[in-house]
Amino acid sequence: MIDTVEWFKQAKYGMMIHWGLYSLLGGEYQGKSSSNYAEWIQSKLQIPNKEYERLTQAFNPIYFDAEAIVDLAKRCGMQYLVVTTKHHDGFAMYRSLVDPYNVYDATPFHRDVIGELSLACRKAGLRFGLYYSQDLDWHEPDGGGYLSNDIETAGTTWDNSWDFTGEKNYDRAFEHKIMPQIEEIMSNYGEISVAWFDVPMTLSDEQSQTIYDTVKRLQPDCLINSRLGNGRYDYVSLGDNEIPEDSDASEKATSDGDVDYNSIEGFKPSKLGLYETAGTINDSWGFSYHDQNWKSPQTIHDYKAHLNKYGINYLLNVGLDGLGRVPMDAEQALLGARALEA
């Protein structure tokens, strides 16, 4: 663990990848647009699971090249990569024996994306991390979020309220899908340096502890982010694209005052002194045809320098398109930012 903590403090810069069935839609469906977050399109436009599942028939990203993506990350000075194993739509980007709704079993692509990226990172000497949506799952009748629908979302509701209208019990989803899949991803892909969980809303304190203990049992040196929920974490994830002001950083980072441990924004106490901001290279996390608001190389460079000055890593997201490619504008911006450091 000590080695991993020191590595994280020195890493400063990483690549995040959001990729899934939503990448085929690219933020557009039946003449309508998603919110800024294209990966939320199923919720935003209330696409029934039966219709959304049809995307599996078309998911065959022939240009996906794990080694090329990892090479790009290395050329940009990134030290680690975090990739979505399962986002809120419930579709797994690896071969899951728990649920056939996955990229290996349900698509003509028939390849384990996580396995290929894991191997590529290992060969290139990059640390590997996994994102997993542990609360929201729109493919599950008992997926979480249903207690929080009074809070604004990037979709219409946090849970799948359009397919599943009956009484819900997250405990059932937790037992039959969430925990078994977390055990899979933490067992089958070699050393995992980062476990990146997201949007804690429905999990109980006990469930967060169970996930934390399971990850540590299977990956003792893995660092767990604060979005697991209920104060169970090794490092603090700040809000999406959160760039704190100079005057805020040291004071808020060391204050233990009245902390909402399930808020996904702002500083929380960090006993290990580890912080990270995950940000987007445009506005969306998933690939979006209509989002061309790319950050300039100078902006990326300046954000990274500002965050690193205050001991905060910058985890910069790229949304691969439906063919498995890093968008050209994203690649040029990343390489341009790296050139500014020369």
Side-chain angles (χ1 to χ4, degrees):
M1 170 63 84
I2 293 176
D3 174 67
T4 309
V5 170
E6 291 306 310
W7 159 76
F8 193 86
K9 286 182 177 179
Q10 299 299 320
K12 301 185 185 302
Y13 197 28
M15 176 182 284
M16 192 176 218
I17 293 175
H18 273 65
W19 196 35
L21 295 180
Y22 47 81
S23 306
L24 287 174
L25 295 179
E28 301 175 8
Y29 176 72
Q30 294 186 346
K32 297 178 181 178
S33 172
S34 67
S35 63
N36 282 343
Y37 286 5
E39 69 283 1
W40 271 80
I41 192 168
Q42 186 184 8
S43 173
K44 177 67 175 178
L45 301 180
Q46 297 192 346
I47 305 172
N49 272 326
K50 191 171 183 179
E51 174 68 16
Y52 192 79
E53 287 168 1
R54 293 177 61 203
L55 293 169
T56 61
Q57 302 171 36
F59 195 86
N60 192 21
I62 58 174
Y63 291 128
F64 172 68
D65 185 333
E67 291 190 3
I69 292 168
V70 170
D71 179 67
L72 172 64
K74 284 200 71 171
R75 284 188 288 139
C76 293
M78 293 164 165
Q79 302 299 311
Y80 61 115
L81 184 145
V82 177
V83 59
T84 50
T85 62
K86 187 206 75 170
H87 205 263
H88 309 327
D89 62 358
F91 183 76
M93 295 297 289
Y94 70 99
R95 188 180 191 184
S96 173
L97 300 183
V98 173
D99 186 349
Y101 193 51
N102 70 73
V103 69
Y104 188 92
D105 292 311
T107 79
F109 193 50
H110 203 59
R111 285 161 54 183
D112 188 322
V113 167
I114 303 305
E116 292 184 24
L117 284 168
S118 171
L119 180 59
C121 282
R122 195 154 55 244
K123 287 173 62 176
L126 243 63
R127 296 272 189 147
F128 191 54
L130 300 177
Y131 170 113
Y132 185 86
S133 176
Q134 83 283 11
D135 196 323
L136 309 185
D137 191 318
W138 302 326
H139 203 249
E140 286 295 306
D142 293 302
Y146 53 86
L147 300 176
S148 306
N149 284 331
D150 58 318
I151 303 172
E152 184 180 0
T153 79
T156 52
T157 52
W158 294 97
D159 66 328
N160 182 338
S161 59
W162 52 97
D163 280 316
F164 309 120
T165 58
E167 185 177 343
K168 300 179 181 182
N169 183 347
Y170 172 77
D171 293 353
R172 291 191 291 248
F174 185 82
E175 181 178 345
H176 88 258
K177 182 175 182 180
I178 305 302
M179 279 310 307
Q181 285 198 332
I182 289 174
E183 293 208 17
E184 281 184 327
I185 62 176
M186 290 295 154
S187 300
N188 298 338
Y189 298 103
E191 182 180 357
I192 307 300
S193 294
V194 172
W196 218 102
F197 296 104
D198 201 15
V199 197
M201 307 185 108
T202 322
L203 290 90
S204 67
D205 185 87
E206 181 182 5
Q207 287 166 337
S208 291
Q209 187 67 56
T210 297
I211 293 175
Y212 186 91
D213 291 343
T214 299
V215 172
K216 291 299 184 179
R217 173 172 57 83
L218 297 172
Q219 297 282 343
D221 296 325
C222 182
L223 296 172
I224 300 169
N225 76 328
S226 55
R227 295 195 191 185
L228 172 55
N230 297 303
R232 304 303 196 273
Y233 60 88
D234 298 313
Y235 77 91
V236 175
S237 294
L238 277 67
D240 296 356
N241 292 294
E242 185 171 351
I243 310 294
E245 296 294 331
D246 299 0
S247 59
D248 290 343
S250 58
E251 179 181 348
K252 290 186 178 178
T254 56
S255 172
D256 202 325
D258 187 13
V259 179
D260 180 358
Y261 284 101
N262 284 345
S263 171
I264 64 170
E265 298 179 347
F267 281 100
K268 299 171 184 66
S270 177
K271 294 178 181 179
L272 298 175
L274 304 180
Y275 306 92
E276 175 191 78
T277 284
T280 55
I281 199 166
N282 47 353
D283 293 326
S284 180
W285 298 85
F287 173 73
S288 175
Y289 290 111
H290 60 259
D291 181 359
Q292 300 299 317
N293 189 28
W294 304 101
K295 289 179 175 62
S296 69
Q298 188 68 57
T299 296
I300 294 171
H301 173 271
D302 292 349
Y303 281 177
K304 176 181 177 293
H306 178 85
L307 291 167
N308 291 170
K309 179 180 178 180
Y310 292 96
I312 304 168
N313 289 0
Y314 193 23
L315 183 64
L316 188 54
N317 178 77
V318 171
L320 304 187
D321 70 11
L323 289 172
R325 302 173 299 181
V326 175
M328 178 183 68
D329 293 288
E331 180 170 341
Q332 291 177 347
L334 290 171
L335 292 171
R338 180 60 171 174
L340 292 172
E341 296 185 353

